[in-house]
C-alpha cells in the first residue's frame, strides 16, 4: 500500500517525509524532485521566508543507485531558518526568556483550537506544526508519486483559476498546461495573462491594506487509466479519497471534482457527459474507443476513474495571519487584544496548487498500486500494460 507521513515544525531543524509502498526499481530523478520543491516556493504574494529557504531533498533511505529499492523512502528538507530559531525552539529545556510566545490566537488559524486541545498556554507549538511549511514535505514525496504515475503514462499538473474576486475561464490544453508549469518565473500560475493581471491587482490590494487573499487552484490528472477506485466501498471511492487528500492541505476549505458546484444548479441533461464510440482507436494513447463530448464529471463516475482527465479544484481561504489583525483575546490575561502577527505570506494559491498536485499524485499513485500491484516497477508496468490491452479490447 502506498502511504506517507510527514514530521517537522515550521522553524525546527528540518522536515521529514516517509513514503512506503513504492515498487522497487523506479528511477528517482532527484533534479525533478528538487524542481517540484522549487515550484512550490514560487508565486506572487509570498512572504520573506521564501527568500531564506531553498528546499532541497536529501534522501536518507529507500533509494540506492538512483532507483527505489522497495523499502520506505525517507527524505529530509533542511529549514535554513532554523539557525534563527535554535534558541527559541530548543529540543532541550533551553533558556525560557528566548522563547517566542504567540500571545493571542489568530482567527482562522489552528492557534486557539490547538492550544485548548493540547493544553498549551499559548500557540507557538500549534502554529509550528499547523503551518503550511509542512506541505513542502508532501511535495517531496508527491514528486515520487508523479514519477510512479509517469511510468504508466499519467501526469499531474495545476493552474490557478481564481484569486479573490478575479476569475479566469481559460481551459488550457495539455501543452499549454505543460508550458505554464515549466516557466522559469512563476507569477500566479494562471494560463490567461489578462486574468492574471486582475489576480495581481487582488494580491496588491491585500498587500496595500494589510490583508490576505485566497483563491482556487485546479489540479488535472492526464492519461489516468479508467478503473482506479471503486464504488464497492465508500472509502475506496476515488473522488472521496481525492477530496480528503486535497482538503487536508492547509487553508483549503472546499474541494470540487469536475463541475461539481455548477452541477448542483443545473439540469441533468446539462451536466452528464454524453457517450460516443469512435470508429477507430486514435493511436495507442487511448484506453478505449468510447468517447465523451465533455468532462463535467472531472474524470470520475461512481467513484471510479473513467479515463477522462481527472479535475480537482481546491478552494483556499485567505491566509489567517493579517498585518491588520482581527479582534482576539490575550492568552494570559484573557483581555481583548488584536490577534498576533508574525511574518507571513499574503497569497499562496499557486504554491497550494503545487501541493495539490502532490496530494492528487499520491492519491492516484495509491489507487494505481492497488489496481496494478507489483513489488517491482517491472511487474507494476507489466500489469498496467496487460490491463490497458484488456481495456482497449473491451
Ligand atoms: C506560514 C508562515 C510563513 C510562511 C510559511 C507558512 O512562514 P514564516 O512564519 O517562517 O514566515 O512562509 O510557509 C512556508 C515556510 C513554506 O515553506 O510554505 C504559516 O504560518 O503557515
Amino acid at each position: 500500500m502506498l502511504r506517507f507521513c510527514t514530521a517537522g515544525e515550521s522553524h525546527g531543524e528540518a522536515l521529514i517525509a516517509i513514503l512506503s509502498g513504492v515498487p522497487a526499481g523506479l528511477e528517482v530523478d532527484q533534479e525533478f524532485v528538487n524542481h517540484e520543491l522549487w515550484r512550490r516556493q514560487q508565486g506572487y504574494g509570498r512572504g520573506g521566508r521564501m527568500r531564506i529557504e531553498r528546499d532541497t531533498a536529501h534522501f536518507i533511505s529507500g533509494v540506492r543507485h538512483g532507483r527505489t529499492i522497495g523499502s520506505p523512502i525517507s527524505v529530509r528538507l533542511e529549514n535554513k531558518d532554523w539557525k534563527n530559531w535554535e534558541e527559541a525552539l530548543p529540543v532541550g529545556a533551553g533558556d525560557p526568556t528566548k522563547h517566542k510566545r504567540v500571545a493571542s490566537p489568530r482567527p482562522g488559524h489552528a492557534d486557539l483550537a490547538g492550544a485548548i486541545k493540547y493544553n498549551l498556554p499559548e500557540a507557538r507549538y500549534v502554529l509550528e506544526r499547523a503551518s503550511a511549511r509542512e506541505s513542502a514535505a508532501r511535495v517531496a514525496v508527491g514528486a515520487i508519486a508523479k514519477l510512479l504515475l509517469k511510468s504508466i503514462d499519467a501526469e499531474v499538473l495545476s493552474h490557478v483559476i481564481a484569486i479573490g474576486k478575479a476569475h479566469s475561464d481559460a481551459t488550457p490544453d495539455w501543452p499549454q498546461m505543460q508550458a505554464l508549469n515549466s516557466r522559469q518565473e512563476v507569477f500566479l500560475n494562471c494560463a490567461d495573462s489578462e486574468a492574471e493581471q486582475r489576480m495581481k491587482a487582488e494580491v496588491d490590494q491585500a498587500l496595500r491594506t494589510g490583508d490576505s487573499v485566497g483563491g482556487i487552484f485546479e489540479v488535472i490528472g492526464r492519461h489516468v487509466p479508467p478503473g482506479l477506485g471503486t464504488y464497492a466501498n465508500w472509502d475506496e471511492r476515488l473522488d472521496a479519497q481525492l477530496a480528503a487528500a486535497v482538503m487536508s492541505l492547509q487553508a483549503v476549505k472546499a474541494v470540487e471534482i469536475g463541475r461539481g458546484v455548477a452541477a448542483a444548479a443545473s439540469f441533468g441533461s446539462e451536466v452528464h457527459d454524453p457517450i460516443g464510440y469512435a470508429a477507430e482507436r486514435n493511436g495507442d494513447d487511448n484506453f478505449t474507443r468510447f468517447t465523451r463530448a465533455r468532462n463535467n464529471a472531472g474524470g470520475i463516475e461512481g467513484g471510479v476513474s473513467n479515463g477522462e482527465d481527472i479535475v480537482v479544484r481546491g478552494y483556499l481561504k485567505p491566509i489567517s495571519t493579517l498585518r491588520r489583525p482581527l479582534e482576539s483575546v490575550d492568552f494570559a490575561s484573557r483581555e481583548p487584544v488584536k490577534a498576533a502577527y508574525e511574518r507571513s505570506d499574503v497569497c499562496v494559491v499557486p504554491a497550494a496548487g503545487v501541493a495539490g498536485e502532490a496530494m492528487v499524485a499520491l492519491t492516484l499513485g495509491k489507487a494505481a498500486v492497488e489496481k496494478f500491484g507489483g513489488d517491482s516497477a517491472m511487474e507494476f508496468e507489466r500489469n498496467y500494460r496487460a490491463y490497458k490491452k484488456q481495456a482497449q479490447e473491451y
Side-chain angles (χ1 to χ4, degrees):
M1 184 167 91
L2 196 76
R3 57 194 162 142
F4 80 98
C5 70
T6 71
E9 285 90 45
S10 181
H11 303 99
E13 188 174 341
L15 298 170
I16 306 270
I18 299 179
L19 173 67
S20 64
V22 180
L26 179 77
E27 201 173 325
V28 175
D29 177 350
Q30 292 186 59
E31 224 172 277
F32 172 74
V33 177
N34 288 331
H35 187 67
E36 291 290 286
L37 291 167
W38 175 85
R39 288 179 59 227
R40 196 203 64 93
Q41 290 197 271
Q42 308 307 303
Y44 187 64
R46 302 224 66 184
R49 177 75 184 271
M50 287 306 106
R51 287 192 287 277
I52 300 174
E53 303 299 341
R54 182 74 171 91
D55 292 337
T56 310
H58 295 280
F59 286 93
I60 297 167
S61 70
V63 182
R64 301 291 160 198
H65 305 110
R67 290 181 186 272
T68 57
I69 58 171
S71 41
I73 298 167
S74 53
V75 55
R76 180 184 191 276
L77 311 178
E78 181 195 348
N79 283 329
K80 292 202 188 310
D81 208 15
W82 165 241
K83 63 177 186 312
N84 304 315
W85 284 81
E86 271 182 78
E87 288 187 324
L89 282 172
V91 174
D95 175 354
T97 63
K98 302 276 171 61
H99 189 100
K100 290 188 188 164
R101 295 177 71 253
V102 177
S104 54
R106 290 159 293 175
H109 209 282
D111 293 349
L112 181 58
I116 294 170
K117 175 179 170 67
Y118 290 100
N119 195 28
L120 300 165
E122 50 88 28
R124 167 56 59 197
Y125 302 152
V126 178
L127 86 79
E128 285 297 327
R129 182 61 188 160
S131 161
R133 173 86 188 126
E134 184 265 350
S135 65
R138 304 197 206 191
V139 170
V141 284
I144 305 287
K146 281 190 171 190
L147 293 170
L148 180 68
L149 291 172
K150 196 84 196 256
S151 75
I152 56 166
D153 311 317
E155 287 178 80
V156 177
L157 289 173
S158 70
H159 63 137
V160 170
I161 59 174
I163 303 270
K165 293 178 182 59
H167 217 279
S168 160
D169 291 323
T171 49
D173 61 20
W174 198 249
Q176 286 169 325
M177 285 292 288
Q178 286 172 316
L180 180 67
N181 283 284
S182 54
R183 282 189 189 165
Q184 292 308 304
E185 262 178 61
V186 179
F187 189 48
L188 286 165
N189 211 36
C190 177
D192 168 351
S193 52
E194 179 274 326
E196 201 171 40
Q197 285 309 312
R198 285 188 282 113
M199 292 176 181
K200 176 180 184 291
E202 295 280 306
V203 181
D204 285 338
Q205 184 178 341
L207 278 165
R208 217 171 30 245
T209 55
D211 219 318
S212 62
V213 65
I216 310 169
F217 63 79
E218 181 173 270
V219 180
I220 302 177
R222 180 80 166 165
H223 288 152
V224 175
L228 300 191
T230 173
Y231 46 79
N233 287 299
W234 68 271
D235 54 350
E236 292 177 276
R237 286 180 174 260
L238 186 63
D239 43 4
Q241 294 186 23
L242 287 167
V246 173
M247 186 66 111
S248 76
L249 285 166
Q250 296 82 353
V252 170
K253 287 298 261 185
V255 180
E256 179 180 19
I257 310 274
R259 304 308 306 271
V261 172
S266 311
F267 290 110
S269 57
E270 299 167 304
V271 172
H272 302 299
D273 307 324
I275 301 172
Y277 195 68
E280 300 215 348
R281 198 152 41 76
N282 180 15
D284 191 48
D285 270 5
N286 290 347
F287 266 80
T288 139
R289 280 160 59 184
F290 289 98
T291 58
R292 296 304 181 118
R294 60 191 178 213
N295 183 25
N296 288 341
I300 303 173
E301 289 168 306
V304 184
S305 63
N306 64 8
E308 299 297 307
D309 286 354
I310 301 286
V311 183
V312 188
R313 294 174 170 184
Y315 288 64
L316 251 79
K317 66 182 177 183
I319 297 273
S320 46
T321 307
L322 303 179
R323 244 189 316 118
R324 201 159 41 85
L326 292 171
E327 298 303 319
S328 184
V329 171
D330 188 87
F331 271 117
S333 70
R334 307 285 151 119
E335 292 296 324
V337 287
K338 293 289 183 192
Y341 173 76
E342 69 177 47
R343 178 188 63 188
S344 181
D345 306 308
V346 165
C347 172
V348 289
V349 186
V354 178
E357 291 173 33
M359 293 310 292
V360 168
L362 285 156
T363 306
L364 295 176
K366 175 172 173 281
V369 167
E370 273 159 23
K371 174 114 184 87
F372 304 121
D375 294 308
S376 68
M378 187 200 271
E379 194 181 1
F380 176 72
E381 286 170 43
R382 186 174 63 226
N383 293 345
Y384 160 75
R385 279 195 303 274
Y387 171 72
K388 183 172 181 180
K389 190 158 176 288
Q390 170 195 314
Q392 285 177 332
E393 284 167 4
Y394 173 82

